[in-house]
Each structure stands twice: as structure tokens, then as C-alpha cells.
Amino acid sequence: MSGASMKATKNNIPCPGSCPCAKPVSMGSRGQAFEPFNLLIGAIIALTMLAIIISAVNYFDEKKFEVSRQKFNEGVINAVKQPNGEPLQAKNIYLRRGTTVSTIELGNIAGLSSECFDIKPIDGTSMVRRSEGVFEMRQDVLTTVVMSCKTNTSSGCEIGCELGFLEEG
């Protein structure tokens, strides 16, 4: 027997090419069932990653509105602390749809009466008046808030303030 016509078996015993021990090994039905399982695991991992990414986007979107609200409140307080009539601006303020801005809320933030505030709404359809001194956002808006406070106003307030909104986009 020549070495070229012989095939090795499991136990390294030479076997002729037509030997039944040299048959190709098939995976059978159990080996093929593992492939869909791998696909299922891959899909679960992909969905988990997608859920994490969406959660992160929502988290940072929410933070954007929280930081804007803090900037808005700090701007109101700064304007009241400097009642010289000079306009102060709080830029890049994001106001979410459904957010209300009211003279009562402004009074609570600044420690003044609600009558001491006058709100000039955004031109257009972004902001709608709900009642006297209460405005609601109809859509998410990026705005600059312009605040100006003066002392000894005619409204009977020690400090009177006006707030205006400039829509940025």
C-alpha cells in the first residue's frame, strides 16, 4: 500500500481510501439548531444596545430642559438683584411644549409680588396666553429670555420687571 492511498483514522491506524472509518462527519440536526440560537443571542444584544442608546438620548434631552430652567430662574433672580433698567439676556433657553410661564411663578422665584412682572410673549404661534399672566408653550422652543427690572415703578412695586422672549429657532 502506498502512503497516498491510505488515510488515517481516529487512532492513526492506516486505512485504505475506501475504508468506512474515513467517512466525512456530518453535524446532524443538533449542530444546526445552534445557529438560530446564536442569531437570537445577537438580536437580544442588539436590542439591549439600542435600548441603552435611546435611554441615553432621552436622559440628555431631559437634562437640556432642566439646565435651561435653572438658567431661566437664575436670570430672573439676577435681573431682580440689578434693577437698573438694563436688559439681561439668558440665551439658549429650551422651553418644552406644555411648559407654562406665569407672573405668579416669577414672583415666587424672585420673592416679589406677581403684579411686579410683565410678560411679553414670543411673537407667532409658539406661546399662547392661558389666562392673565399665564402663558403656555405650544411646541418645544429655543429662545433667548430678555429681562429688565427697574426700581420705583408706577405699579406700586418696589421693583418692576419685564420679561420678553426672542425665538431662536
Side-chain angles (χ1 to χ4, degrees):
M1 287 205 281
S2 77
S5 65
M6 301 292 259
K7 294 191 179 189
T9 63
K10 245 198 244 184
N11 300 328
N12 289 329
I13 300 173
C15 183
S18 63
C19 179
C21 59
K23 287 185 190 175
V25 179
S26 73
M27 290 176 51
S29 62
R30 285 188 285 172
Q32 293 174 1
F34 191 66
E35 189 174 320
F37 184 68
N38 279 341
L39 188 60
L40 177 64
I41 290 172
I44 290 171
I45 290 171
L47 287 174
T48 303
M49 289 173 52
L50 181 63
I52 290 169
I53 291 169
I54 289 172
S55 296
V57 168
N58 288 338
Y59 172 79
F60 288 114
D61 191 48
E62 189 65 35
K63 280 294 184 191
K64 172 177 68 172
F65 290 106
E66 287 178 26
V67 169
S68 289
R69 196 60 181 191
Q70 289 174 348
K71 282 173 49 178
F72 177 81
N73 292 349
E74 289 170 4
V76 170
I77 292 168
N78 287 337
V80 170
K81 286 182 179 179
Q82 302 174 36
N84 57 10
E86 292 292 319
L88 295 176
Q89 292 187 355
K91 295 184 177 187
N92 298 325
I93 303 293
Y94 290 94
L95 297 174
R96 175 170 281 166
R97 178 182 178 191
T99 300
T100 57
V101 179
S102 72
T103 56
I104 293 171
E105 176 189 14
L106 296 172
N108 290 338
I109 292 169
L112 298 174
S113 170
S114 63
E115 292 83 30
C116 299
F117 288 93
D118 185 27
I119 299 174
K120 306 291 184 203
I122 297 173
D123 292 334
T125 60
S126 301
M127 198 173 206
V128 63
R129 173 180 243 131
R130 288 288 170 218
S131 62
E132 186 61 36
V134 179
F135 294 88
E136 183 179 339
M137 304 311 298
R138 285 187 151 172
Q139 60 194 28
D140 292 352
V141 174
L142 173 62
T143 184
T144 295
V145 181
V146 181
M147 299 159 272
S148 175
C149 295
K150 298 178 188 176
T151 56
N152 300 326
T153 62
S154 61
S155 65
C157 295
E158 185 179 319
I159 298 173
C161 300
E162 285 186 357
L163 268 77
F165 298 86
L166 305 172
E167 193 167 357
E168 293 183 7

